[in-house]
Amino acid sequence: MSKIGIFYGSSTGTTEDIANRIADQLGVAGGDIYDVAEADAADADAYDTILLGSSTWGDGELQDDWYDFMEELKEHLDGKKVGFFGTGDSDSYADSFCDAVGILYDEVADSGCTTIGSMPTDGYNYEESLAERNGHFVGLLIDEVNEDDMTDERIEAWVKTLK
């Protein structure tokens, strides 16, 4: 498997926890996991595969630390494989469930990367999501508020698609 770097934005620690759980499943070392609040976009140059994660805030917004970081990161993604993961609340925000994942996907679409890791929407309870395209999510969506009993299974299934 190629060298993997994980970049996440997390305000409450939930997305950070998911990033670390994904890293454990993939055998990614702690030094290859980056909080975008403290990372340098050039750190992405060391990796063949980049996994991007964000929590969704408000009515479907990216976690705050991504806004400045994303513009710089796009310059470092050409030729890389990029996967997406995120956290959200499918009950309270059923009409914008994990929208941040869809925003990340759209942001990197023209950066010369190849996107990986789409997942079926089966088993999720939500109304709308910017992360849904043609009946699949563009990455791994996690609801630790209402469906935490599904998290490990969903991470394992996603990791299998990445391998």
Side-chain angles (χ1 to χ4, degrees):
M1 190 160 194
S2 61
K3 185 158 169 101
I4 299 172
I6 300 175
F7 293 78
Y8 69 88
S10 185
S11 296
T12 64
T14 302
T15 306
E16 177 181 14
D17 176 57
I18 298 302
N20 285 306
R21 290 163 74 177
I22 290 167
D24 287 344
Q25 291 280 325
L26 289 169
V28 173
D32 297 317
I33 305 169
Y34 300 87
D35 181 340
V36 298
E38 301 168 2
D40 184 324
D43 292 333
D45 292 342
Y47 304 99
D48 305 308
T49 301
I50 308 287
L51 305 180
L52 308 178
S54 179
S55 48
T56 298
W57 288 92
D59 291 324
E61 299 166 16
L62 275 173
Q63 191 271 344
D64 288 341
D65 298 321
W66 274 107
Y67 288 102
D68 292 332
F69 188 78
M70 180 52 74
E71 287 308 310
E72 292 180 37
L73 180 64
K74 289 191 282 191
E75 298 173 16
H76 299 273
L77 298 179
D78 189 31
K80 299 187 182 298
K81 294 178 185 175
V82 179
F84 308 90
F85 66 96
T87 57
D89 179 341
S90 64
D91 186 39
S92 299
Y93 299 96
D95 60 345
S96 60
F97 178 55
C98 289
D99 276 359
V101 175
I103 294 168
L104 289 174
Y105 179 89
D106 290 339
E107 284 288 325
V108 305
D110 295 329
S111 65
C113 68
T114 301
T115 59
I116 59 172
S118 70
M119 294 292 291
T121 59
D122 301 340
Y124 286 86
N125 296 309
Y126 68 101
E127 293 173 20
E128 294 182 44
S129 177
L130 294 177
E132 183 182 347
R133 310 292 161 93
N134 302 317
H136 281 78
F137 291 128
V138 297
L140 171 65
L141 277 56
I142 298 291
D143 182 348
E144 282 286 272
V145 176
N146 306 293
E147 300 175 348
D148 61 324
D149 59 319
M150 301 294 296
T151 299
D152 289 335
E153 180 181 326
R154 288 175 173 165
I155 291 172
E156 287 174 20
W158 189 59
V159 165
K160 284 181 184 177
T161 70
L162 298 178
K163 289 182 176 180

